[in-house]
Amino acid sequence: MSPEGRRKLRNYGVAPPEDADATEDGLTPDAHALCPHCGSSDTRLLSEFGSTACKALFQCQACRETFDYFKKI
Ligand SMILES: [Zn+2]
């Protein structure tokens, strides 16, 4: 994914794949995606599946916002 693509995703409030510790098999249980709203890494995985199967749902502990994380496909 290009830097421009990542920037666009963050503007939509979605964390791009590069913003979390993911393996080939997906997210690690203690993965912390960077919050697209405030940039904090103090986030937790709420659900492996967000609004679509290719996204996971995170909540930021710093700003309390929930956000989608775009998984690697
Ligand atoms: Zn945040």
Side-chain angles (χ1 to χ4, degrees):
M1 186 176 289
S2 69
E4 175 68 9
R6 289 198 291 272
R7 196 181 60 77
K8 280 190 179 146
L9 275 182
R10 291 192 192 104
N11 282 350
Y12 279 120
V14 177
E18 290 83 356
D19 281 4
D21 311 311
T23 67
E24 295 262 315
D25 301 321
L27 292 166
T28 58
D30 58 349
H32 296 284
L34 292 181
C35 176
H37 303 291
C38 71
S40 173
S41 61
D42 186 11
T43 58
R44 68 191 178 96
L45 180 64
L46 290 184
S47 169
E48 277 266 13
F49 300 100
S51 53
T52 68
C54 65
K55 292 178 187 156
L57 187 66
F58 276 82
Q59 183 175 31
C60 177
Q61 313 281 51
C63 70
R64 316 302 292 176
E65 292 282 343
T66 57
F67 62 92
D68 279 330
Y69 162 74
F70 202 85
K71 296 180 203 171
K72 280 197 173 108
I73 303 169

